[in-house]
Amino acid sequence: EHHVRTRCGSLSVIVYGDQRKPALITYPDLALNHVSCFQGLFFCPEAASLLLHNFCIYHISPPGHQLGAAPICPSASACCVDDLADQILEVLNFFGLGAVMCMGVTAGAYILTLFAMKYKKRVIGLILISPLFRAPSWTEWFYNKVMSNLLYFYGMCGLLKELLLQRYFSKEVCGNTEIPESDIVQACRRLLDERHGSNVMQFLQAINGRPDLTSGLKRLRCRTLIFVGDSSPFHSEALHMTSKLDRRFSALVEVQACGSMVTEEQPHAMLIPMEYFFMGYGLYRPCHLSDSPRSPLSPSCISPELLCPESSGLNLKPIKIPVSHYT
């Protein structure tokens, strides 16, 4: 773990892997950190093999969201989304990184998209999971205001955690009166207990005041791979974002029976699309170690149409992945 001092305070960055390899930056959703947002992906053996074999991972936590974080001083000036994006630049400069691959979930996806727009030469690709990119709708704004009031008066109370879990996961894993909630939901609930309400509220207020990025999407020239669960509250947002991106540089993967946090709920569904995506960069190098499993799909089985760069973009088709394919 590294603590990087930035203009807007200190950031926690967890580094995994060989720092001589290309860098992959991650940024989690509201109230989460690298453990609660990306652990499922990196515990999936095939995905871990793919990512750690090809990248050094830099997990950035939003201010006050890292493990063991102390409460942010109430007198500290609140960060806006532009400040959070600028912090990423300071992290890259701290580690001496050039252009990086980025992976973000929902609010984290917004911050990384904004960063890619502001600092085009520092981003070679975006992997966005259930991303936000427009200003909040009235419904989301009101929902966020309710959560903000709960955080202010009651902290990380039971009702707030239920609202957050509905944001992250599908009803299938959240359970009901007849079906118990899944292990991943229980684990996330426990990790939410460690968050300080004041820290979460600062990030929430920044996200709730975010500007619309629509006008800049057509000028976004880095390749973009979007995942979204069809049960995500942000499903329509992801579809609309895809329609606004240059199709030569973007692809959409819809995951059935899944909520917003595909990285935790169905990480295996991300594997093959990411393989295609990385092959288009020439970054993907198959791992030949027998104890490091990966997707059974070999390069010779992949359609040349999916691997052929088009005007420096990746020509991926929208893919729907049925849950039965992996069960």
Side-chain angles (χ1 to χ4, degrees):
E1 182 177 14
H2 299 261
H3 294 279
V4 181
R5 292 186 178 276
T6 73
R7 182 175 54 85
C8 294
S10 180
L11 275 188
S12 168
V13 183
I14 305 290
V15 182
Y16 286 102
D18 185 348
Q19 291 185 258
R20 294 170 298 181
K21 292 181 178 180
L24 172 66
I25 305 295
T26 75
Y27 209 100
D29 191 17
L30 176 72
L32 303 176
N33 53 37
H34 75 285
V35 174
S36 46
C37 196
F38 296 103
Q39 181 172 259
L41 181 64
F42 284 89
F43 274 21
C44 176
E46 295 88 351
S49 173
L50 173 67
L51 294 171
L52 290 171
H53 182 68
N54 292 284
F55 297 97
C56 181
I57 315 299
Y58 296 79
H59 291 299
I60 301 176
S61 292
H65 282 55
Q66 69 270 24
L67 294 173
I72 295 175
C73 178
S75 61
S77 57
C79 293
C80 65
V81 288
D82 277 290
D83 294 328
L84 297 175
D86 291 341
Q87 282 185 321
I88 297 173
L89 179 66
E90 295 184 72
V91 168
L92 266 56
N93 292 339
F94 176 86
F95 288 104
L97 302 175
V100 300
M101 185 74 69
C102 297
M103 178 186 293
V105 178
T106 311
Y110 178 93
I111 299 299
L112 292 177
T113 303
L114 178 60
F115 173 70
M117 289 179 174
K118 295 183 71 171
Y119 305 102
K120 293 180 175 64
K121 294 183 179 179
R122 304 303 290 270
V123 178
I124 59 173
L126 288 169
I127 301 172
L128 307 177
I129 298 93
S130 305
L132 302 174
F133 76 99
R134 291 181 288 190
S137 65
W138 280 110
T139 303
E140 187 197 343
W141 183 89
F142 178 76
Y143 196 85
N144 289 345
K145 278 295 182 182
V146 170
M147 290 200 293
S148 186
N149 287 335
L150 287 171
L151 285 164
Y152 182 81
F153 289 107
Y154 304 106
M156 293 297 291
C157 61
L159 176 57
L160 178 76
K161 284 186 283 188
E162 292 304 320
L163 293 175
L164 288 171
L165 292 170
Q166 290 173 22
R167 172 190 177 98
Y168 306 147
F169 299 110
S170 66
K171 292 179 181 179
E172 286 83 357
V173 297
C174 283
N176 51 43
T177 54
E178 298 177 357
I179 304 172
E181 65 184 19
S182 71
D183 291 343
I184 59 171
V185 175
Q186 292 177 19
C188 187
R189 188 188 298 278
R190 290 192 295 270
L191 290 165
L192 287 174
D193 286 334
E194 301 174 6
R195 300 280 77 75
H196 292 287
S198 57
N199 300 3
V200 175
M201 188 167 67
Q202 282 210 8
F203 190 24
L204 176 59
Q205 289 173 341
I207 289 298
N208 212 28
R210 67 186 187 267
D212 195 312
L213 301 181
T214 303
S215 62
L217 289 180
K218 283 293 185 185
R219 300 191 299 273
L220 196 62
R221 283 295 177 263
C222 65
R223 302 173 187 177
T224 305
L225 177 60
I226 298 175
F227 293 92
V228 66
D230 63 1
S231 299
S232 167
F234 309 107
H235 179 259
S236 61
E237 183 87 354
L239 298 183
H240 192 64
M241 182 177 190
T242 305
S243 72
K244 297 298 181 183
L245 287 166
D246 189 324
R247 294 191 178 185
R248 296 172 300 163
F249 301 94
S250 60
L252 172 69
V253 179
E254 294 179 81
V255 184
Q256 295 180 11
C258 187
S260 297
M261 206 151 42
V262 184
T263 50
E264 290 295 305
E265 196 169 339
Q266 291 197 42
H268 50 264
M270 299 178 64
L271 177 62
I272 293 174
M274 285 195 303
E275 285 188 344
Y276 294 164
F277 191 61
F278 296 150
M279 285 178 185
Y281 286 92
L283 285 175
Y284 173 68
R285 301 187 308 277
C287 181
H288 299 294
L289 298 177
S290 59
D291 60 348
S292 186
R294 50 176 294 275
S295 166
L297 187 65
S298 65
S300 61
C301 298
I302 300 171
S303 167
E305 179 186 8
L306 293 175
L307 296 178
C308 178
E310 179 182 321
S311 300
S312 300
L314 188 62
N315 185 19
L316 279 174
K317 304 268 177 138
I319 304 169
K320 284 183 180 286
I321 299 181
V323 66
S324 61
H325 182 74
Y326 293 95
T327 57

